[in-house]
Amino acid sequence: MRNAELTANGTFSGHHSSFIIFMAEMTTLPAGKDVTLRVVPMPADENQAGDIFGGWIMAQVDVAGSIQAIRHAKGRVATVAVNSFQFKQPVLVGDLVSFYAEVVRVGRTSITVNVEVYAQRRPEREEVVKVTEATLTYVALDENRQPRVVSAQQ
C-alpha cells in the first residue's frame, strides 16, 4: 500500500486502497445480563473465506431479538426492520457465540430490540470479543397475522 494512512475509524485510506481492518477488542461477557441465545457455529456455516457466513449471524441475531419481542408481546411477532447491523469481528468455527437481547423501545404495535453478540474464542484462555451489534424492530401480530397493540408494561 503506497501513500496509505490509518484513519480514526479503523480504515486505511490512500491512493488505490481503502479497506477496513478489525481491531480485536478483548472484553468480557456482559455482567448482570441474561444470555438470550447461545450457539456454536459449525463448518457448514463457513463462507468461502473460512469465517462464519454473515447471513448465518444475521439469522441468529433475528432469532435472539425475536425471543425478547415474543416475550414482551406475549405472542406472535414478525421482523419489520433491521435498523442497524454492525459486524465488528469475524466469528470462527468452534466459537461459543452468546447473544444478549434487550427490549429498548415499545411503540403502539412495535417492539425494538438491541442485540449484542460475543464470541468466546478459546475457553481455556477466556478470550472474549464483541463480534456484532444490531437493532431490530418487530411488530406484534394477532391470530390473523395483522398488527395488534402491545402494552409498554407487559
Side-chain angles (χ1 to χ4, degrees), residues 16-154:
H16 299 297
S17 66
S18 179
F19 60 90
I20 296 174
I21 61 169
F22 291 105
M23 306 292 239
E25 293 181 28
M26 295 293 288
T27 188
T28 59
L29 295 176
K33 289 187 177 183
D34 292 329
V35 66
T36 303
L37 179 67
R38 193 168 273 151
V39 65
V40 176
M42 303 303 282
D45 304 315
E46 284 181 312
N47 63 21
Q48 73 283 2
D51 299 323
I52 298 305
F53 178 58
W56 181 89
I57 298 165
M58 293 180 87
Q60 303 307 311
V61 165
D62 192 24
V63 169
S66 71
I67 289 170
Q68 293 302 340
I70 288 166
R71 285 179 179 162
H72 191 87
K74 297 188 181 343
R76 179 183 219 133
V77 299
T79 310
V80 294
V82 176
N83 307 59
S84 67
F85 205 102
Q86 184 178 18
F87 295 100
K88 297 176 148 308
Q89 292 285 314
V91 174
L92 311 174
V93 169
D95 283 354
L96 178 58
V97 185
S98 300
F99 299 78
Y100 293 83
E102 176 182 16
V103 173
V104 294
R105 183 182 173 282
V106 178
R108 191 170 108 62
T109 63
S110 66
I111 300 166
T112 302
V113 180
N114 283 347
V115 181
E116 295 180 319
V117 186
Y118 296 83
Q120 292 172 270
R121 298 224 191 271
R122 297 189 181 107
E124 71 278 5
R125 289 187 14 210
E126 297 184 20
E127 182 180 337
V128 176
V129 293
K130 187 174 191 179
V131 294
T132 303
E133 56 189 22
T135 303
L136 298 93
T137 300
Y138 301 86
V139 65
L141 300 176
D142 65 17
E143 61 279 350
N144 297 314
R145 295 190 173 124
Q146 297 301 307
R148 67 174 173 82
V149 175
V150 293
S151 168
Q153 280 73 37
Q154 287 184 332

